[in-house]
Each structure stands twice: as structure tokens, then as C-alpha cells.
Amino acid sequence: MSMKITLTVGATRHPVELPDDATVKDLMQTVVEKCKITPENQKLIHRGVTISTDPEKLLTSCDVKSRSRVMVIGKRYDDGEDVALHNLEMIEKDVRSVMRTFDELHEQIDSIMKGFLDEEHKNKAFKQIKKKLLTSSHLLMQSLETMDQMVLGPEFSNARRIRKTMVDKIQSALTSCDKLVAMVDKFIAV
């Protein structure tokens, strides 16, 4: 058998069905799915008693039965910020990849300057390095534009903080890239 319970969040009601042997923890998971309130942010009240303090307790031992109402209090998590954080994570992954490319190109430049490449091949190598630097720089600029287009309200404080940190990293990387391009240009001109 199962019991039908009504979850009340403000003026909104959510009918749910749980097995007779369900625990408070099971109900809390249902609240996550139906009401988008994480367990740590939940307070479940039945007949004036907070039941969310003991998640392992059976609902029946809390006097919750079919057609009972449970009031839910808590702050909902925001799918919008989750999406923004995911997008920022993907951008950060791309930025890390470009930064590794910069490091590799910088090592190549150092190797060429130390004489590990014949004079006749240096010009061609520097041109290839410059092309890769400019491509990487372009990718970083695209990442900045993508982040600039993200609409993050004041309630998305975590996403806003991460975006700010990433913008600083990208701007620093672009400055390094400009220096490397200037260095390569000196060798191409010679």
C-alpha cells in the first residue's frame, strides 16, 4: 500500500505518493524533486512538529499517514544558476586548454631561441607559432564574449564571482599572448 500526502509550500500544494514504510529521508528526497528545495535547506512540519530533524525515522512514527499535509519551509535552489555554473565550467575547461597551448608555444619559442632549430627553419616555425597564438587569442576573446552575454542576476552571486575570476584570468592570458606575439614578430622580421 501507499500513502498520499500533500506537501504545502507557501500557497502551492504538491500531492505525492509514498510507500507505507517510507522514512522522513524519502519524503525529503521527494521534496527535492517536487519543490526544488535541497535537504539541507528543508524544514518539514507536520501538525506543528518539525519532522525533518530525524531523517531515518519512519513517517508513520511521526503520525504521517495517508491524506496528511506536510508544510515545507526552505529556500529553493535555482536551475538558472545551475545552468550558468555549468556553462562557466565548460568555458573554464576551454580556457585551461588554451592556457596549456600557450605554455607549449612558450616552450617552443624558448627552444628555438636556445638554438635547437636550424636557422633556415626558424622563420617558418615562428610563423606557425604566431598563427597558433592568434588562434588561441581569438578563442579567449570568444570566451569573454560568451561570458559577457550571460545574464546573471544579483541572486546568482556564486556564478557572478566565478565569472569575474575567469574574466581576470582570460585578460591576463591575453596580455601574455600579446607579449608572445610581439616577441615572435621580432624574430619573423629579422
Side-chain angles (χ1 to χ4, degrees), residues 126-161:
F126 278 129
K127 286 181 181 178
Q128 289 174 345
I129 289 171
K130 181 177 179 179
K131 183 177 179 180
K132 289 178 184 178
L133 284 170
L134 293 176
T135 300
S136 297
S137 177
H138 180 72
L139 292 172
L140 289 176
M141 290 300 295
Q142 285 179 326
S143 295
L144 277 177
E145 289 172 6
T146 301
M147 286 190 298
D148 189 48
Q149 293 170 1
M150 294 175 80
V151 178
L152 301 176
E155 69 277 11
F156 295 170
S157 59
N158 197 28
R160 292 169 67 89
R161 180 184 50 78

PDB file of all heavy atoms in Angstrom, residues 126-161:
ATOM      1  N   PHE A 126      58.412  30.152 -36.452  1.00  0.00           N
ATOM      2  CA  PHE A 126      57.848  31.330 -35.789  1.00  0.00           C
ATOM      3  C   PHE A 126      56.504  31.729 -36.404  1.00  0.00           C
ATOM      4  O   PHE A 126      55.584  32.145 -35.695  1.00  0.00           O
ATOM      5  CB  PHE A 126      58.834  32.504 -35.826  1.00  0.00           C
ATOM      6  CG  PHE A 126      59.883  32.437 -34.753  1.00  0.00           C
ATOM      7  CD1 PHE A 126      61.225  32.570 -35.070  1.00  0.00           C
ATOM      8  CD2 PHE A 126      59.541  32.250 -33.424  1.00  0.00           C
ATOM      9  CE1 PHE A 126      62.208  32.512 -34.091  1.00  0.00           C
ATOM     10  CE2 PHE A 126      60.512  32.203 -32.437  1.00  0.00           C
ATOM     11  CZ  PHE A 126      61.843  32.317 -32.767  1.00  0.00           C
ATOM     12  N   LYS A 127      56.383  31.603 -37.725  1.00  0.00           N
ATOM     13  CA  LYS A 127      55.099  31.922 -38.365  1.00  0.00           C
ATOM     14  C   LYS A 127      54.003  30.963 -37.911  1.00  0.00           C
ATOM     15  O   LYS A 127      52.866  31.373 -37.672  1.00  0.00           O
ATOM     16  CB  LYS A 127      55.247  31.898 -39.893  1.00  0.00           C
ATOM     17  CG  LYS A 127      55.992  33.096 -40.435  1.00  0.00           C
ATOM     18  CD  LYS A 127      56.109  33.053 -41.950  1.00  0.00           C
ATOM     19  CE  LYS A 127      56.880  34.256 -42.461  1.00  0.00           C
ATOM     20  NZ  LYS A 127      57.052  34.236 -43.913  1.00  0.00           N
ATOM     21  N   GLN A 128      54.340  29.685 -37.776  1.00  0.00           N
ATOM     22  CA  GLN A 128      53.352  28.703 -37.295  1.00  0.00           C
ATOM     23  C   GLN A 128      52.963  28.989 -35.842  1.00  0.00           C
ATOM     24  O   GLN A 128      51.793  28.909 -35.482  1.00  0.00           O
ATOM     25  CB  GLN A 128      53.913  27.281 -37.420  1.00  0.00           C
ATOM     26  CG  GLN A 128      54.017  26.790 -38.841  1.00  0.00           C
ATOM     27  CD  GLN A 128      54.715  25.435 -38.936  1.00  0.00           C
ATOM     28  OE1 GLN A 128      55.355  24.969 -38.012  1.00  0.00           O
ATOM     29  NE2 GLN A 128      54.586  24.808 -40.108  1.00  0.00           N
ATOM     30  N   ILE A 129      53.956  29.338 -35.036  1.00  0.00           N
ATOM     31  CA  ILE A 129      53.681  29.664 -33.636  1.00  0.00           C
ATOM     32  C   ILE A 129      52.780  30.893 -33.547  1.00  0.00           C
ATOM     33  O   ILE A 129      51.818  30.925 -32.776  1.00  0.00           O
ATOM     34  CB  ILE A 129      55.002  29.886 -32.859  1.00  0.00           C
ATOM     35  CG1 ILE A 129      55.717  28.551 -32.683  1.00  0.00           C
ATOM     36  CG2 ILE A 129      54.746  30.545 -31.516  1.00  0.00           C
ATOM     37  CD1 ILE A 129      57.132  28.665 -32.128  1.00  0.00           C
ATOM     38  N   LYS A 130      53.079  31.903 -34.370  1.00  0.00           N
ATOM     39  CA  LYS A 130      52.256  33.115 -34.349  1.00  0.00           C
ATOM     40  C   LYS A 130      50.813  32.797 -34.736  1.00  0.00           C
ATOM     41  O   LYS A 130      49.868  33.288 -34.107  1.00  0.00           O
ATOM     42  CB  LYS A 130      52.821  34.171 -35.303  1.00  0.00           C
ATOM     43  CG  LYS A 130      52.015  35.456 -35.303  1.00  0.00           C
ATOM     44  CD  LYS A 130      52.608  36.517 -36.196  1.00  0.00           C
ATOM     45  CE  LYS A 130      51.728  37.762 -36.166  1.00  0.00           C
ATOM     46  NZ  LYS A 130      52.282  38.834 -37.006  1.00  0.00           N
ATOM     47  N   LYS A 131      50.636  31.938 -35.730  1.00  0.00           N
ATOM     48  CA  LYS A 131      49.289  31.564 -36.160  1.00  0.00           C
ATOM     49  C   LYS A 131      48.539  30.877 -35.018  1.00  0.00           C
ATOM     50  O   LYS A 131      47.368  31.178 -34.753  1.00  0.00           O
ATOM     51  CB  LYS A 131      49.375  30.640 -37.377  1.00  0.00           C
ATOM     52  CG  LYS A 131      48.030  30.259 -37.951  1.00  0.00           C
ATOM     53  CD  LYS A 131      48.186  29.407 -39.198  1.00  0.00           C
ATOM     54  CE  LYS A 131      46.818  29.021 -39.748  1.00  0.00           C
ATOM     55  NZ  LYS A 131      46.925  28.197 -40.951  1.00  0.00           N
ATOM     56  N   LYS A 132      49.224  29.969 -34.305  1.00  0.00           N
ATOM     57  CA  LYS A 132      48.590  29.277 -33.176  1.00  0.00           C
ATOM     58  C   LYS A 132      48.271  30.244 -32.036  1.00  0.00           C
ATOM     59  O   LYS A 132      47.231  30.136 -31.387  1.00  0.00           O
ATOM     60  CB  LYS A 132      49.494  28.147 -32.674  1.00  0.00           C
ATOM     61  CG  LYS A 132      49.574  26.973 -33.630  1.00  0.00           C
ATOM     62  CD  LYS A 132      50.522  25.906 -33.112  1.00  0.00           C
ATOM     63  CE  LYS A 132      50.676  24.772 -34.108  1.00  0.00           C
ATOM     64  NZ  LYS A 132      51.639  23.754 -33.645  1.00  0.00           N
ATOM     65  N   LEU A 133      49.158  31.196 -31.789  1.00  0.00           N
ATOM     66  CA  LEU A 133      48.918  32.203 -30.753  1.00  0.00           C
ATOM     67  C   LEU A 133      47.688  33.050 -31.081  1.00  0.00           C
ATOM     68  O   LEU A 133      46.846  33.314 -30.219  1.00  0.00           O
ATOM     69  CB  LEU A 133      50.144  33.097 -30.578  1.00  0.00           C
ATOM     70  CG  LEU A 133      51.326  32.514 -29.816  1.00  0.00           C
ATOM     71  CD1 LEU A 133      52.545  33.423 -29.954  1.00  0.00           C
ATOM     72  CD2 LEU A 133      50.972  32.309 -28.346  1.00  0.00           C
ATOM     73  N   LEU A 134      47.602  33.474 -32.338  1.00  0.00           N
ATOM     74  CA  LEU A 134      46.461  34.304 -32.739  1.00  0.00           C
ATOM     75  C   LEU A 134      45.149  33.518 -32.674  1.00  0.00           C
ATOM     76  O   LEU A 134      44.109  34.058 -32.275  1.00  0.00           O
ATOM     77  CB  LEU A 134      46.691  34.881 -34.137  1.00  0.00           C
ATOM     78  CG  LEU A 134      47.843  35.892 -34.237  1.00  0.00           C
ATOM     79  CD1 LEU A 134      48.056  36.321 -35.682  1.00  0.00           C
ATOM     80  CD2 LEU A 134      47.581  37.096 -33.346  1.00  0.00           C
ATOM     81  N   THR A 135      45.198  32.247 -33.045  1.00  0.00           N
ATOM     82  CA  THR A 135      44.006  31.399 -32.943  1.00  0.00           C
ATOM     83  C   THR A 135      43.588  31.253 -31.481  1.00  0.00           C
ATOM     84  O   THR A 135      42.408  31.369 -31.144  1.00  0.00           O
ATOM     85  CB  THR A 135      44.272  30.006 -33.562  1.00  0.00           C
ATOM     86  OG1 THR A 135      44.614  30.174 -34.931  1.00  0.00           O
ATOM     87  CG2 THR A 135      43.064  29.104 -33.442  1.00  0.00           C
ATOM     88  N   SER A 136      44.558  31.001 -30.613  1.00  0.00           N
ATOM     89  CA  SER A 136      44.271  30.857 -29.185  1.00  0.00           C
ATOM     90  C   SER A 136      43.710  32.151 -28.604  1.00  0.00           C
ATOM     91  O   SER A 136      42.771  32.142 -27.814  1.00  0.00           O
ATOM     92  CB  SER A 136      45.537  30.454 -28.427  1.00  0.00           C
ATOM     93  OG  SER A 136      45.987  29.201 -28.867  1.00  0.00           O
ATOM     94  N   SER A 137      44.291  33.265 -29.015  1.00  0.00           N
ATOM     95  CA  SER A 137      43.815  34.570 -28.564  1.00  0.00           C
ATOM     96  C   SER A 137      42.359  34.785 -28.990  1.00  0.00           C
ATOM     97  O   SER A 137      41.535  35.274 -28.221  1.00  0.00           O
ATOM     98  CB  SER A 137      44.708  35.664 -29.136  1.00  0.00           C
ATOM     99  OG  SER A 137      44.228  36.935 -28.778  1.00  0.00           O
ATOM    100  N   HIS A 138      42.063  34.387 -30.219  1.00  0.00           N
ATOM    101  CA  HIS A 138      40.696  34.504 -30.735  1.00  0.00           C
ATOM    102  C   HIS A 138      39.723  33.660 -29.889  1.00  0.00           C
ATOM    103  O   HIS A 138      38.618  34.107 -29.568  1.00  0.00           O
ATOM    104  CB  HIS A 138      40.648  34.089 -32.206  1.00  0.00           C
ATOM    105  CG  HIS A 138      39.295  34.168 -32.823  1.00  0.00           C
ATOM    106  ND1 HIS A 138      38.688  35.371 -33.114  1.00  0.00           N
ATOM    107  CD2 HIS A 138      38.405  33.191 -33.167  1.00  0.00           C
ATOM    108  CE1 HIS A 138      37.488  35.140 -33.623  1.00  0.00           C
ATOM    109  NE2 HIS A 138      37.296  33.834 -33.667  1.00  0.00           N
ATOM    110  N   LEU A 139      40.138  32.455 -29.520  1.00  0.00           N
ATOM    111  CA  LEU A 139      39.289  31.583 -28.690  1.00  0.00           C
ATOM    112  C   LEU A 139      39.030  32.205 -27.319  1.00  0.00           C
ATOM    113  O   LEU A 139      37.915  32.130 -26.801  1.00  0.00           O
ATOM    114  CB  LEU A 139      39.942  30.203 -28.527  1.00  0.00           C
ATOM    115  CG  LEU A 139      40.016  29.339 -29.778  1.00  0.00           C
ATOM    116  CD1 LEU A 139      40.847  28.089 -29.525  1.00  0.00           C
ATOM    117  CD2 LEU A 139      38.616  28.957 -30.254  1.00  0.00           C
ATOM    118  N   LEU A 140      40.047  32.838 -26.758  1.00  0.00           N
ATOM    119  CA  LEU A 140      39.863  33.511 -25.470  1.00  0.00           C
ATOM    120  C   LEU A 140      38.904  34.691 -25.596  1.00  0.00           C
ATOM    121  O   LEU A 140      38.065  34.917 -24.710  1.00  0.00           O
ATOM    122  CB  LEU A 140      41.211  33.978 -24.914  1.00  0.00           C
ATOM    123  CG  LEU A 140      42.154  32.883 -24.420  1.00  0.00           C
ATOM    124  CD1 LEU A 140      43.485  33.488 -23.995  1.00  0.00           C
ATOM    125  CD2 LEU A 140      41.535  32.102 -23.287  1.00  0.00           C
ATOM    126  N   MET A 141      39.019  35.425 -26.688  1.00  0.00           N
ATOM    127  CA  MET A 141      38.098  36.550 -26.915  1.00  0.00           C
ATOM    128  C   MET A 141      36.658  36.053 -27.046  1.00  0.00           C
ATOM    129  O   MET A 141      35.725  36.673 -26.520  1.00  0.00           O
ATOM    130  CB  MET A 141      38.508  37.343 -28.161  1.00  0.00           C
ATOM    131  CG  MET A 141      39.786  38.142 -27.991  1.00  0.00           C
ATOM    132  SD  MET A 141      39.701  39.367 -26.671  1.00  0.00           S
ATOM    133  CE  MET A 141      38.467  40.464 -27.298  1.00  0.00           C
ATOM    134  N   GLN A 142      36.479  34.921 -27.728  1.00  0.00           N
ATOM    135  CA  GLN A 142      35.135  34.340 -27.843  1.00  0.00           C
ATOM    136  C   GLN A 142      34.595  33.952 -26.473  1.00  0.00           C
ATOM    137  O   GLN A 142      33.413  34.141 -26.192  1.00  0.00           O
ATOM    138  CB  GLN A 142      35.154  33.120 -28.762  1.00  0.00           C
ATOM    139  CG  GLN A 142      35.254  33.461 -30.225  1.00  0.00           C
ATOM    140  CD  GLN A 142      35.283  32.204 -31.101  1.00  0.00           C
ATOM    141  OE1 GLN A 142      35.826  31.179 -30.727  1.00  0.00           O
ATOM    142  NE2 GLN A 142      34.689  32.312 -32.278  1.00  0.00           N
ATOM    143  N   SER A 143      35.457  33.413 -25.620  1.00  0.00           N
ATOM    144  CA  SER A 143      35.040  33.047 -24.262  1.00  0.00           C
ATOM    145  C   SER A 143      34.595  34.286 -23.486  1.00  0.00           C
ATOM    146  O   SER A 143      33.577  34.262 -22.786  1.00  0.00           O
ATOM    147  CB  SER A 143      36.175  32.347 -23.512  1.00  0.00           C
ATOM    148  OG  SER A 143      36.488  31.123 -24.116  1.00  0.00           O
ATOM    149  N   LEU A 144      35.349  35.371 -23.635  1.00  0.00           N
ATOM    150  CA  LEU A 144      34.957  36.634 -22.976  1.00  0.00           C
ATOM    151  C   LEU A 144      33.599  37.115 -23.476  1.00  0.00           C
ATOM    152  O   LEU A 144      32.749  37.541 -22.690  1.00  0.00           O
ATOM    153  CB  LEU A 144      36.006  37.717 -23.227  1.00  0.00           C
ATOM    154  CG  LEU A 144      37.226  37.734 -22.320  1.00  0.00           C
ATOM    155  CD1 LEU A 144      38.197  38.818 -22.768  1.00  0.00           C
ATOM    156  CD2 LEU A 144      36.832  37.942 -20.867  1.00  0.00           C
ATOM    157  N   GLU A 145      33.394  37.041 -24.786  1.00  0.00           N
ATOM    158  CA  GLU A 145      32.118  37.476 -25.362  1.00  0.00           C
ATOM    159  C   GLU A 145      30.969  36.605 -24.856  1.00  0.00           C
ATOM    160  O   GLU A 145      29.890  37.118 -24.532  1.00  0.00           O
ATOM    161  CB  GLU A 145      32.188  37.434 -26.885  1.00  0.00           C
ATOM    162  CG  GLU A 145      33.061  38.500 -27.490  1.00  0.00           C
ATOM    163  CD  GLU A 145      33.276  38.325 -28.986  1.00  0.00           C
ATOM    164  OE1 GLU A 145      32.665  37.436 -29.596  1.00  0.00           O
ATOM    165  OE2 GLU A 145      34.077  39.098 -29.551  1.00  0.00           O
ATOM    166  N   THR A 146      31.196  35.302 -24.779  1.00  0.00           N
ATOM    167  CA  THR A 146      30.159  34.392 -24.283  1.00  0.00           C
ATOM    168  C   THR A 146      29.800  34.731 -22.839  1.00  0.00           C
ATOM    169  O   THR A 146      28.619  34.795 -22.486  1.00  0.00           O
ATOM    170  CB  THR A 146      30.634  32.925 -24.373  1.00  0.00           C
ATOM    171  OG1 THR A 146      30.942  32.630 -25.734  1.00  0.00           O
ATOM    172  CG2 THR A 146      29.572  31.963 -23.872  1.00  0.00           C
ATOM    173  N   MET A 147      30.810  34.956 -22.025  1.00  0.00           N
ATOM    174  CA  MET A 147      30.537  35.300 -20.617  1.00  0.00           C
ATOM    175  C   MET A 147      29.861  36.653 -20.503  1.00  0.00           C
ATOM    176  O   MET A 147      29.017  36.854 -19.632  1.00  0.00           O
ATOM    177  CB  MET A 147      31.829  35.276 -19.806  1.00  0.00           C
ATOM    178  CG  MET A 147      32.316  33.872 -19.540  1.00  0.00           C
ATOM    179  SD  MET A 147      33.666  33.785 -18.352  1.00  0.00           S
ATOM    180  CE  MET A 147      34.932  34.713 -19.153  1.00  0.00           C
ATOM    181  N   ASP A 148      30.228  37.577 -21.379  1.00  0.00           N
ATOM    182  CA  ASP A 148      29.625  38.905 -21.357  1.00  0.00           C
ATOM    183  C   ASP A 148      28.135  38.841 -21.691  1.00  0.00           C
ATOM    184  O   ASP A 148      27.344  39.641 -21.196  1.00  0.00           O
ATOM    185  CB  ASP A 148      30.359  39.833 -22.332  1.00  0.00           C
ATOM    186  CG  ASP A 148      29.919  41.271 -22.193  1.00  0.00           C
ATOM    187  OD1 ASP A 148      29.866  41.753 -21.041  1.00  0.00           O
ATOM    188  OD2 ASP A 148      29.619  41.894 -23.220  1.00  0.00           O
ATOM    189  N   GLN A 149      27.749  37.873 -22.514  1.00  0.00           N
ATOM    190  CA  GLN A 149      26.344  37.730 -22.909  1.00  0.00           C
ATOM    191  C   GLN A 149      25.490  37.045 -21.844  1.00  0.00           C
ATOM    192  O   GLN A 149      24.268  37.077 -21.918  1.00  0.00           O
ATOM    193  CB  GLN A 149      26.251  36.949 -24.218  1.00  0.00           C
ATOM    194  CG  GLN A 149      26.814  37.688 -25.400  1.00  0.00           C
ATOM    195  CD  GLN A 149      26.923  36.816 -26.630  1.00  0.00           C
ATOM    196  OE1 GLN A 149      26.569  35.651 -26.616  1.00  0.00           O
ATOM    197  NE2 GLN A 149      27.422  37.392 -27.721  1.00  0.00           N
ATOM    198  N   MET A 150      26.145  36.412 -20.862  1.00  0.00           N
ATOM    199  CA  MET A 150      25.399  35.723 -19.808  1.00  0.00           C
ATOM    200  C   MET A 150      24.709  36.750 -18.917  1.00  0.00           C
ATOM    201  O   MET A 150      25.332  37.699 -18.455  1.00  0.00           O
ATOM    202  CB  MET A 150      26.335  34.854 -18.960  1.00  0.00           C
ATOM    203  CG  MET A 150      26.938  33.698 -19.714  1.00  0.00           C
ATOM    204  SD  MET A 150      28.153  32.792 -18.732  1.00  0.00           S
ATOM    205  CE  MET A 150      27.052  31.804 -17.741  1.00  0.00           C
ATOM    206  N   VAL A 151      23.426  36.546 -18.693  1.00  0.00           N
ATOM    207  CA  VAL A 151      22.667  37.427 -17.813  1.00  0.00           C
ATOM    208  C   VAL A 151      22.621  36.768 -16.439  1.00  0.00           C
ATOM    209  O   VAL A 151      21.988  35.737 -16.253  1.00  0.00           O
ATOM    210  CB  VAL A 151      21.240  37.656 -18.344  1.00  0.00           C
ATOM    211  CG1 VAL A 151      20.456  38.538 -17.405  1.00  0.00           C
ATOM    212  CG2 VAL A 151      21.283  38.247 -19.749  1.00  0.00           C
ATOM    213  N   LEU A 152      23.347  37.366 -15.498  1.00  0.00           N
ATOM    214  CA  LEU A 152      23.411  36.825 -14.142  1.00  0.00           C
ATOM    215  C   LEU A 152      22.841  37.868 -13.189  1.00  0.00           C
ATOM    216  O   LEU A 152      23.448  38.911 -12.969  1.00  0.00           O
ATOM    217  CB  LEU A 152      24.854  36.486 -13.757  1.00  0.00           C
ATOM    218  CG  LEU A 152      25.580  35.470 -14.643  1.00  0.00           C
ATOM    219  CD1 LEU A 152      27.025  35.319 -14.198  1.00  0.00           C
ATOM    220  CD2 LEU A 152      24.878  34.135 -14.617  1.00  0.00           C
ATOM    221  N   GLY A 153      21.695  37.559 -12.645  1.00  0.00           N
ATOM    222  CA  GLY A 153      21.071  38.471 -11.700  1.00  0.00           C
ATOM    223  C   GLY A 153      21.846  38.532 -10.400  1.00  0.00           C
ATOM    224  O   GLY A 153      22.733  37.719 -10.143  1.00  0.00           O
ATOM    225  N   PRO A 154      21.509  39.473  -9.540  1.00  0.00           N
ATOM    226  CA  PRO A 154      22.230  39.620  -8.266  1.00  0.00           C
ATOM    227  C   PRO A 154      22.102  38.387  -7.367  1.00  0.00           C
ATOM    228  O   PRO A 154      22.942  38.144  -6.522  1.00  0.00           O
ATOM    229  CB  PRO A 154      21.585  40.842  -7.618  1.00  0.00           C
ATOM    230  CG  PRO A 154      20.358  41.128  -8.386  1.00  0.00           C
ATOM    231  CD  PRO A 154      20.470  40.468  -9.709  1.00  0.00           C
ATOM    232  N   GLU A 155      21.065  37.578  -7.584  1.00  0.00           N
ATOM    233  CA  GLU A 155      20.882  36.373  -6.764  1.00  0.00           C
ATOM    234  C   GLU A 155      21.842  35.250  -7.164  1.00  0.00           C
ATOM    235  O   GLU A 155      22.009  34.277  -6.441  1.00  0.00           O
ATOM    236  CB  GLU A 155      19.424  35.876  -6.837  1.00  0.00           C
ATOM    237  CG  GLU A 155      19.002  35.316  -8.178  1.00  0.00           C
ATOM    238  CD  GLU A 155      18.561  36.368  -9.199  1.00  0.00           C
ATOM    239  OE1 GLU A 155      18.754  37.565  -8.968  1.00  0.00           O
ATOM    240  OE2 GLU A 155      18.024  35.972 -10.239  1.00  0.00           O
ATOM    241  N   PHE A 156      22.518  35.393  -8.294  1.00  0.00           N
ATOM    242  CA  PHE A 156      23.475  34.380  -8.758  1.00  0.00           C
ATOM    243  C   PHE A 156      24.880  34.762  -8.300  1.00  0.00           C
ATOM    244  O   PHE A 156      25.817  34.838  -9.088  1.00  0.00           O
ATOM    245  CB  PHE A 156      23.461  34.277 -10.285  1.00  0.00           C
ATOM    246  CG  PHE A 156      22.171  33.775 -10.882  1.00  0.00           C
ATOM    247  CD1 PHE A 156      21.978  33.829 -12.240  1.00  0.00           C
ATOM    248  CD2 PHE A 156      21.169  33.244 -10.106  1.00  0.00           C
ATOM    249  CE1 PHE A 156      20.803  33.357 -12.816  1.00  0.00           C
ATOM    250  CE2 PHE A 156      19.992  32.776 -10.668  1.00  0.00           C
ATOM    251  CZ  PHE A 156      19.809  32.835 -12.021  1.00  0.00           C
ATOM    252  N   SER A 157      25.061  34.987  -7.022  1.00  0.00           N
ATOM    253  CA  SER A 157      26.328  35.511  -6.503  1.00  0.00           C
ATOM    254  C   SER A 157      27.501  34.577  -6.784  1.00  0.00           C
ATOM    255  O   SER A 157      28.597  35.039  -7.114  1.00  0.00           O
ATOM    256  CB  SER A 157      26.216  35.790  -5.009  1.00  0.00           C
ATOM    257  OG  SER A 157      25.868  34.598  -4.319  1.00  0.00           O
ATOM    258  N   ASN A 158      27.299  33.285  -6.670  1.00  0.00           N
ATOM    259  CA  ASN A 158      28.381  32.336  -6.915  1.00  0.00           C
ATOM    260  C   ASN A 158      28.819  32.387  -8.382  1.00  0.00           C
ATOM    261  O   ASN A 158      30.012  32.450  -8.682  1.00  0.00           O
ATOM    262  CB  ASN A 158      27.931  30.926  -6.524  1.00  0.00           C
ATOM    263  CG  ASN A 158      29.092  29.981  -6.358  1.00  0.00           C
ATOM    264  OD1 ASN A 158      30.198  30.391  -6.028  1.00  0.00           O
ATOM    265  ND2 ASN A 158      28.839  28.710  -6.579  1.00  0.00           N
ATOM    266  N   ALA A 159      27.864  32.368  -9.280  1.00  0.00           N
ATOM    267  CA  ALA A 159      28.174  32.422 -10.711  1.00  0.00           C
ATOM    268  C   ALA A 159      28.847  33.747 -11.071  1.00  0.00           C
ATOM    269  O   ALA A 159      29.785  33.777 -11.878  1.00  0.00           O
ATOM    270  CB  ALA A 159      26.913  32.221 -11.545  1.00  0.00           C
ATOM    271  N   ARG A 160      28.399  34.837 -10.464  1.00  0.00           N
ATOM    272  CA  ARG A 160      28.997  36.149 -10.740  1.00  0.00           C
ATOM    273  C   ARG A 160      30.462  36.188 -10.283  1.00  0.00           C
ATOM    274  O   ARG A 160      31.328  36.714 -10.970  1.00  0.00           O
ATOM    275  CB  ARG A 160      28.196  37.257 -10.065  1.00  0.00           C
ATOM    276  CG  ARG A 160      26.811  37.435 -10.663  1.00  0.00           C
ATOM    277  CD  ARG A 160      25.935  38.350  -9.803  1.00  0.00           C
ATOM    278  NE  ARG A 160      26.406  39.712  -9.782  1.00  0.00           N
ATOM    279  CZ  ARG A 160      26.050  40.646 -10.650  1.00  0.00           C
ATOM    280  NH1 ARG A 160      25.189  40.349 -11.605  1.00  0.00           N
ATOM    281  NH2 ARG A 160      26.500  41.859 -10.564  1.00  0.00           N
ATOM    282  N   ARG A 161      30.733  35.602  -9.111  1.00  0.00           N
ATOM    283  CA  ARG A 161      32.093  35.561  -8.575  1.00  0.00           C
ATOM    284  C   ARG A 161      33.008  34.741  -9.490  1.00  0.00           C
ATOM    285  O   ARG A 161      34.120  35.158  -9.823  1.00  0.00           O
ATOM    286  CB  ARG A 161      32.083  34.967  -7.167  1.00  0.00           C
ATOM    287  CG  ARG A 161      33.440  34.885  -6.506  1.00  0.00           C
ATOM    288  CD  ARG A 161      33.380  34.196  -5.144  1.00  0.00           C
ATOM    289  NE  ARG A 161      32.680  32.926  -5.165  1.00  0.00           N
ATOM    290  CZ  ARG A 161      33.207  31.774  -5.611  1.00  0.00           C
ATOM    291  NH1 ARG A 161      34.439  31.765  -6.082  1.00  0.00           N
ATOM    292  NH2 ARG A 161      32.517  30.656  -5.593  1.00  0.00           N
TER     293      ARG A 161
END
